[in-house]
Amino acid sequence: MKTLLVGECREGKLLESSYELFGFAAQLGAETAMVLIGNQGALPGYGGAVYLADAGKYGEYNPDLHKRLVQAAVEREKPDYVVFMHTSYGWDLAPRVAALLQAPQVSEVVALAEGGFERPCCSQKMRQVVQPVGSPVVLTLQGGAFPALVPGGAPQQQPLDVDGEGRTEFLGYEAAVRKGVDLTRAEIIVSAGRGVGKKENLPVIAELAKVLGGEVGASRPVVDSGWMEAGAQVGVTGQTVSPKLYIACGISGAIQHLAGMKKSGFIVAINKDKDAPIGEVADVLVVADVMQFVPALTAKLAK
Amino acid sequence: MKILVCVKQVPDMESRFRPDAAGVWYAETDLAFRVNEYDEYAIEQAVLLKEQLGGEPEITLISVGPDRVVEAIKKGLAMGADRAVHVQDPASHLKDPFQIASIIAAYAKGEAFDVIFTGMQSLDRGSSQVGVAIAEMLGYPCATTVVGFEYADGTVTVKRELEGGVKGTVRLKSPAVVTCQLGLNQPRYPTLPNIMKAKKKEVTVIPVEQLLKQDARLVSAQFRAPAKKGGGVVLEGDVADQVDRLIGILKDKTAVLR
Ligand SMILES: Cc1cc2nc3c(=O)[nH]c(=O)nc-3n(C[C@H](O)[C@H](O)[C@H](O)COP(=O)(O)OP(=O)(O)OC[C@H]3O[C@@H](n4cnc5c(N)ncnc54)[C@H](O)[C@@H]3O)c2cc1C
């Protein structure tokens, strides 16, 4: 069995998450090769074949060309699996490669399962086992689902080139907006999610944060709805926090939110849904309505 | 100008999910269905583009699914789409993302849409494949995970959301497909007059067999709850009691309360 791993470069550097691809291949017990659109400085610590195309020539985001570069590596390696991380690069490029190869694609794989691959569905509340029909199979892996593994050694480089141009023009990156409180230093964070219901209810969350001497954070819908500033967002596209205590109020626990807070020392979740995925990471799950529980907690703590 | 918006109807995610009789997807009994959240941003962006261009473009919605999806279609029409296509498919949940994309691409092929909007993913299946696959099948350029959209003179300029809050700006020529991410805009609530108007808008029904010519490449073999890892404490019952127990645990297990 053979896997072709698609590494990922951002501004000339190999993303750390690319090593999770090796961790996956090891679990699969498969031979590996990597394809990377990057540069010499971004080569992985891996002693096998690395098909390297120059990001200076092909661009870091040029899906039409990246797709054909991956295809060229597939033609040389003839892998059973072509594996991406489920990132903004992977979920953009993988379906294009699958279309080109006429291959089945399984998105956001979290585990190997008998006869297929396990993946989350229903906003991470449930799992589905999916069996691909045909080969090669294109996979994207959920970040953090497989352990990062640095195989070590010096890569055997294979140059990779294709002709032509892409149809999208990449105009550049825009840095993250970082305004408001620096949640990364807070020792206690009380975060509001959509379950808080409406903007008018937010003071209830702020009151709890105040009696605890903490800061207020938010999940994405709270920010998208304009209830709170973008700087308050915790998660993969917000801040990564690691307070001693994190209280998630009316937050379901989507993987993108967890990515920003699961390193917290102690996690309390208040959710009326006992099956909410936040229960997976919470040290304490309080099954209750936030608007009843939080004011009661605040009142008791204020005494 | 012609715009297509792909709309999926999905269950409310606060529902309790149970496997269907075959054990391969969820049973629909007791579920409340609504428009996929990401698709609401797609509909809104189409309507904003129509408004920007002085009402000239025609917006078509397309939804693949059983009879119930008509409710999602009605909402989209009430938000400002002009007409809709319902690809009638009682078994759409058994189709893989590639087949769903091929159904939509088969419809779109003859229609020469200038811009196609989809959500970046659905809340229930979450494959994030359909939009890109439609683009590939139609030979259109595509940008995914879009949080900013501008259109001028046949050129689409978008902001793609990348990790860590970083964005990438990308330009593509129409015809193009964009997949919409949360926060792209503020989806409007349909007003009562618009709900009334929507009732008169045309909904074309096409049986799925007319558009689907592809076999599945994926089979859903099992649907189940995740294995419980968490050894976390679950506090249920009376609120006052929950408060006391939580404070007790916090005093015991953390240094934040003395
Ligand atoms: C590429 C990408 C990046 C993303 N980045 C981020 C990010 O950085 N941060 C982020 O947070 N999200 C991010 N998201 C969005 C993420 O997938 C979820 O949509 C989001 O985290 C959900 O927020 P929520 O939990 O507040 O809302 P929901 O998922 O709607 O959950 C609300 C919860 O509140 C509970 N609830 C409802 N009413 C009550 C009540 N009265 N009392 C108690 N509980 C109640 C419900 O049971 C439910 O569990 C991203 C998504 C994508 C695709």
Side-chain angles (χ1 to χ4, degrees):
Chain A
M1 210 189 314
K2 217 177 200 182
T3 56
L4 179 67
L5 311 176
V6 185
E8 184 175 341
C9 255
R10 189 75 47 78
E11 297 189 276
K13 292 204 192 83
L14 184 72
L15 292 193
E16 278 301 310
S17 63
S18 297
Y19 286 106
E20 294 174 28
L21 297 165
F22 291 108
F24 170 79
Q27 277 197 17
L28 201 61
E31 273 180 64
T32 51
M34 184 170 264
V35 51
L36 183 69
I37 295 98
N39 55 48
Q40 294 293 329
L43 286 167
Y46 165 61
V50 177
Y51 294 87
L52 183 68
D54 180 15
K57 180 171 170 199
Y58 298 107
E60 286 189 344
Y61 179 78
N62 191 329
D64 288 333
L65 291 186
H66 286 213
K67 169 179 78 177
R68 284 169 35 220
L69 286 162
V70 174
Q71 180 195 28
V74 167
E75 275 163 11
R76 279 151 76 176
E77 276 298 308
K78 309 232 174 337
D80 303 285
Y81 298 100
V82 183
V83 196
F84 297 78
M85 291 306 295
H86 194 71
T87 55
S88 60
Y89 183 74
W91 68 58
D92 189 277
L93 191 55
R96 303 178 197 256
V97 170
L100 193 61
L101 300 175
Q102 301 277 302
Q105 182 192 343
V106 186
S107 303
E108 213 185 347
V109 172
V110 294
L112 303 174
E114 256 179 276
F117 298 95
E118 183 176 321
R119 61 180 305 273
C121 58
C122 299
S123 271
Q124 327 279 332
K125 279 178 89 167
M126 303 299 288
R127 293 281 189 271
Q128 182 188 21
V129 176
V130 174
Q131 297 165 342
V133 183
S135 149
V137 178
V138 175
L139 303 172
T140 65
L141 310 181
Q142 185 181 85
F146 296 91
L149 173 76
V150 185
Q156 294 151 28
Q157 289 183 52
Q158 315 268 358
L160 197 61
D161 283 294
V162 292
D163 292 328
E165 279 174 24
R167 295 165 299 171
T168 48
E169 189 188 347
F170 182 68
L171 303 178
Y173 294 111
E174 194 176 289
V177 214
R178 286 276 179 267
K179 269 192 293 193
V181 270
D182 183 4
L183 293 177
T184 59
R185 293 189 189 180
E187 298 217 323
I188 297 175
I189 297 174
V190 184
S191 276
R194 178 152 38 200
V196 164
K198 51 184 178 195
K199 189 176 183 181
E200 290 68 35
N201 290 342
L202 283 174
V204 167
I205 306 300
E207 277 298 309
L208 176 58
K210 198 170 147 205
V211 298
L212 287 167
E215 302 289 351
V216 182
S219 70
R220 180 165 189 149
V222 170
V223 170
D224 285 346
S225 313
W227 301 353
M228 276 175 76
E229 279 188 20
Q233 186 176 312
V234 172
V236 63
T237 44
Q239 301 200 50
T240 303
V241 301
S242 50
K244 289 185 179 145
L245 175 63
Y246 189 87
I247 306 186
C249 307
I251 294 179
S252 62
I255 183 84
Q256 297 89 357
H257 188 80
L258 299 188
M261 51 64 78
K262 68 179 178 213
K263 296 220 170 74
S264 303
F266 198 84
I267 299 170
V268 176
I270 300 142
N271 201 303
K272 63 177 188 187
D273 179 2
K274 196 181 169 184
D275 298 328
I278 191 90
E280 278 297 301
V281 300
D283 295 287
V284 181
L285 172 66
V286 180
V287 184
D289 187 322
V290 255
M291 291 312 292
Q292 284 170 12
F293 181 82
V294 175
L297 176 64
T298 309
K300 190 92 188 207
L301 289 169
K303 267 189 206 155
Chain B
M1 181 187 217
K2 288 174 75 176
I3 301 172
L4 182 69
V5 189
C6 304
V7 177
K8 182 175 181 180
Q9 197 191 36
V10 296
D12 187 316
M13 287 304 138
E14 289 172 26
S15 314
R16 171 151 262 205
F17 292 95
R18 289 188 188 80
D20 60 10
V24 299
W25 197 234
Y26 50 76
E28 293 201 358
T29 34
D30 303 332
L31 295 182
F33 283 85
R34 52 184 52 181
V35 177
N36 180 40
E37 189 179 7
Y38 296 82
D39 303 349
E40 289 186 359
Y41 291 89
I43 299 167
E44 178 65 27
Q45 201 58 49
V47 177
L48 289 173
L49 178 55
K50 182 180 168 107
E51 288 170 354
Q52 179 201 325
L53 298 178
E56 184 271 317
E58 184 194 48
I59 304 175
T60 304
L61 297 181
I62 186 166
S63 189
V64 183
D67 288 341
R68 59 168 162 74
V69 308
V70 169
E71 290 308 314
I73 288 174
K74 277 190 197 148
K75 177 163 187 198
L77 291 173
M79 283 173 74
D82 298 295
R83 53 190 294 273
V85 174
H86 173 195
V87 181
Q88 171 73 26
D89 184 6
S92 60
H93 62 290
L94 298 175
K95 308 284 188 294
D96 69 6
F98 162 74
Q99 287 176 303
I100 298 290
S102 76
I103 291 165
I104 295 170
Y107 168 74
K109 203 141 234 163
E111 295 284 325
F113 291 105
D114 298 284
V115 185
I116 300 179
F117 293 99
T118 75
M120 78 154 286
Q121 62 185 17
S122 61
L123 286 167
D124 58 351
R125 180 147 56 191
S127 79
S128 48
Q129 293 177 27
V130 172
V132 184
I134 292 170
E136 291 296 315
M137 290 168 189
L138 293 173
Y140 286 14
C142 170
T144 58
T145 334
V146 164
V147 291
F149 178 91
E150 280 172 35
Y151 175 88
D153 306 324
T155 300
V156 171
T157 308
V158 298
K159 277 192 187 136
R160 293 190 67 223
E161 184 179 80
L162 312 175
E163 286 70 21
V166 177
K167 296 182 181 108
T169 307
V170 178
R171 190 177 284 159
L172 41 170
K173 286 253 174 300
S174 80
V177 177
V178 300
T179 82
C180 301
Q181 163 67 321
L182 309 173
L184 168 62
N185 50 44
Q186 294 268 4
R188 69 193 66 192
Y189 291 105
T191 60
L192 193 59
N194 285 344
I195 293 172
M196 301 314 289
K197 261 192 245 163
K199 294 200 164 129
K200 298 201 193 76
K201 292 179 181 171
E202 171 200 334
V203 180
T204 311
V205 179
I206 306 177
V208 69
E209 305 80 60
Q210 272 182 30
L211 297 171
L212 179 66
K213 307 287 175 234
Q214 303 285 347
D215 291 332
R217 291 177 182 170
L218 295 179
V219 177
S220 182
Q222 222 189 96
F223 177 86
R224 52 180 164 79
K228 286 265 174 252
K229 292 189 233 99
V233 181
V234 178
L235 300 181
E236 287 181 277
D238 171 60
V239 168
D241 181 47
Q242 286 174 315
V243 167
D244 290 341
R245 284 160 70 197
L246 178 62
I247 291 176
I249 294 171
L250 290 178
K251 282 189 173 151
D252 225 29
K253 298 269 169 72
T254 74
V256 296
L257 292 188
R258 307 143 317 267

